[in-house]
Amino acid sequence: MTGTVHPSFDDVPWATAFVRLANHSIACATCSAVDEQGWNLNLPCKAIDQLNEKYRQSRHWERHVRPL
Ligand SMILES: [Zn+2]
């Protein structure tokens, strides 16, 4: 087993979910809404809820397939 020093980002099960989550929070007007002081308002967003859940599940899954 030679070649890759670092695992490819694509090989990490939760990476895709994480990228989607990050991209959404930047692009979504609801998720990126801030008050006059610049604090995130944490407005409820169904899309981010689903992405969070997928991310959480993929991390959960990873813990089960990878023995410590
Ligand atoms: Zn959103």
Side-chain angles (χ1 to χ4, degrees):
M1 290 294 278
T2 55
T4 41
V5 178
H6 303 287
S8 165
F9 199 57
D10 294 332
D11 292 339
V12 186
W14 51 265
T16 310
F18 180 76
V19 168
R20 284 208 191 113
L21 191 62
N23 284 342
H24 177 92
S25 35
I26 296 163
C28 176
T30 306
C31 293
S32 60
V34 292
D35 67 13
E36 54 279 1
Q37 267 121 39
W39 294 102
N40 195 293
L41 293 172
N42 286 315
L43 297 174
C45 173
K46 260 187 193 158
I48 201 78
D49 282 351
Q50 283 170 1
L51 290 168
N52 266 318
E53 182 64 16
K54 278 190 183 142
Y55 175 61
R56 200 184 61 76
Q57 281 172 359
S58 58
R59 291 308 299 253
H60 183 72
W61 178 78
E62 184 191 37
R63 243 175 271 133
H64 279 266
V65 294
R66 250 193 221 175
L68 291 170

